[in-house]
Amino acid sequence: MRTKNELYREALRQVASRRQRAVTQAQERRARALAALPRLGELEAQVQSLGLRTMELAAKGAPQAERQAVAEQRRKTQEEIRQLLAQNGYGPQSLEPRYICPDCQDTGMVNGRLCPCVGKLARQLRWEEISEETPLRLCSFESMDLSLYPDAIDPATGENIRALMRDHLNYLQTYAREFDMQNENLLIYGTAGLGKTHAALAIAKTVLEKGFNVVYICAQNLFSQLERERFADSCPLLEAVLEADLLILDDLGTEYINPYMASCFYNILNTRILENRPTIYTTNIVDGKVFESRYTEKIASRLNGSCESVLFLGKDIRGLKSRM
């Protein structure tokens, strides 16, 4: 998982590569045109010579009429070039580089600022990162089938399961659609197979499309990587997790936990709270005492005190789908 700066550096590298490719292809087209149309080279040489003559006359303070005559000759020569190209099937811009971004011409910069195309490409790179590990493209709120949740009362909560899940999914969809840096943290919990990861990925997809930097990672993968980089001089993954506009830490409870891991978890949790960066946690742990015994009372208290809890109820949807 790359940091935001790494994503932007890669995006700028790809934009520069696009520009070089466009220039090279234009040079190849021009070379073919010059080989097929010898007159084209002669006319272009005339245009260049007349341009230099115009500058010389201006520097010498030559009469306006003389300068205008040279400029008119140059214009007529350019028109002859256009006609020659058109007669041989070339469009007005066919020998010019074909840049993907017309605003920055694939330089990555407009008026001294990063072009929006760079940010768009960086978000696409993040999308690809998440898609490599998850079925991101397949996950949406529209594909979550409420009919798979029982139209029955949950004995523990006294809630109608399907009605509750309808409310939850509407809430999560609004959360994603209206996301900004003021969004609350979420703890999505419930037993296995109820669609928590699907809903989290649907949020990630929507928020990415809004232009935010989203990091989605499974707790097991995160903490395993942090353990491997424990004594490294730097940890790009931790930096990416801490700086994300939205962090989705999926499947808490699947990772190996020890005092060092607990310390890493608290650092992530606390830093993001202090910096007002929204975080979504999902877990299959539904018993608060079990969660506390696993992560310590301090972590449990900090997490619960900073998150809006969303309880998923029902039967194992993955099991139901496999039998359909």
Side-chain angles (χ1 to χ4, degrees):
M1 190 67 65
R2 286 172 287 190
T3 66
K4 185 176 181 180
N5 284 340
E6 288 172 333
L7 287 175
Y8 271 80
R9 282 197 296 270
E10 174 60 19
L12 282 168
R13 187 196 68 77
Q14 291 192 18
V15 168
S17 178
R18 286 188 330 207
R19 180 177 174 83
Q20 183 57 53
R21 186 163 54 251
V23 170
T24 299
Q25 290 171 348
Q27 290 171 343
E28 292 171 350
R29 290 194 299 274
R30 177 172 291 278
R32 290 194 295 269
L34 289 170
L37 304 171
R39 178 62 176 156
L40 176 62
E42 297 171 5
L43 292 171
E44 287 186 338
Q46 289 180 29
V47 168
Q48 185 176 13
S49 176
L50 290 167
L52 292 173
R53 180 63 178 156
T54 300
M55 288 189 289
E56 289 174 0
L57 292 174
K60 292 178 180 178
Q64 181 71 14
E66 186 178 356
R67 283 184 285 167
Q68 285 180 342
V70 173
E72 177 62 17
Q73 188 179 353
R74 185 170 186 266
R75 186 194 66 76
K76 289 180 178 179
T77 306
Q78 289 173 324
E79 179 59 29
E80 188 175 347
I81 289 175
R82 283 192 289 271
Q83 291 177 3
L84 176 65
L85 289 173
Q87 289 166 3
N88 289 274
Y90 292 94
Q93 304 296 322
S94 59
L95 300 186
E96 299 300 320
R98 298 168 183 170
Y99 300 116
I100 291 177
C101 179
D103 296 327
C104 71
Q105 296 191 331
D106 292 345
T107 64
M109 303 295 292
V110 176
N111 299 325
R113 296 176 178 269
L114 275 178
C115 180
C117 76
V118 178
K120 182 178 180 179
L121 183 52
R123 292 191 295 276
Q124 181 181 332
L125 292 170
R126 179 71 84 199
W127 179 292
E128 291 170 358
E129 276 189 345
I130 297 175
S131 295
E132 286 178 3
E133 305 294 331
T134 69
L136 179 64
R137 297 181 187 281
L138 303 177
C139 293
S140 67
F141 289 104
E142 290 73 21
S143 61
M144 296 192 74
D145 187 354
L146 276 170
S147 70
L148 295 174
Y149 296 95
D151 186 12
I153 300 299
D154 176 65
T157 63
E159 298 275 1
N160 180 282
I161 297 172
R162 186 175 298 172
L164 180 70
M165 291 305 301
R166 181 184 296 108
D167 290 344
H168 282 342
L169 295 180
N170 286 338
Y171 167 70
L172 295 177
Q173 189 168 15
T174 301
Y175 179 99
R177 186 174 59 247
E178 299 179 359
F179 181 86
D180 61 29
M181 297 305 292
Q182 302 304 312
N183 272 38
E184 61 266 43
N185 302 319
L186 299 180
L187 175 62
I188 303 175
Y189 70 108
T191 53
L194 299 181
K196 299 184 299 297
T197 294
H198 187 121
L201 285 170
I203 293 172
K205 184 177 180 181
T206 302
V207 176
L208 271 171
E209 290 170 348
K210 284 173 63 69
F212 290 94
N213 175 30
V214 178
V215 169
Y216 170 96
I217 190 165
C218 175
Q220 187 176 34
N221 294 341
L222 171 61
F223 292 112
S224 294
Q225 184 70 21
L226 292 181
E227 176 66 31
R228 286 194 293 272
E229 299 181 2
R230 182 172 183 176
F231 300 108
D233 293 335
S234 63
C235 183
L237 176 59
L238 181 59
E239 182 181 341
V241 164
L242 291 177
E243 73 175 5
D245 296 331
L246 174 64
L247 168 65
I248 300 177
L249 186 53
D250 195 26
D251 256 352
L252 276 175
T254 58
E255 75 285 356
Y256 171 73
I257 197 74
N258 60 28
Y260 175 71
M261 298 299 176
S263 174
C264 290
F265 184 22
Y266 184 79
N267 177 41
I268 293 168
L269 167 67
N270 197 53
T271 299
R272 292 188 61 81
I273 291 172
L274 293 176
E275 294 182 358
N276 296 313
R277 296 182 182 273
T279 308
I280 297 174
Y281 308 90
T282 79
T283 182
N284 293 342
I285 302 174
V286 296
D287 188 324
K289 292 182 179 179
V290 172
F291 192 95
E292 184 177 308
S293 65
R294 178 177 177 81
Y295 293 107
T296 74
E297 180 183 358
K298 181 180 181 181
I299 290 176
S301 175
R302 194 79 169 112
L303 184 72
N304 289 322
S306 64
C307 290
E308 180 73 24
S309 295
V310 181
L311 172 61
F312 273 40
L313 297 173
K315 297 179 180 179
D316 186 342
I317 292 175
R318 285 195 295 265
L320 290 172
K321 287 183 175 180
S322 69
R323 294 191 292 273
M324 291 175 65

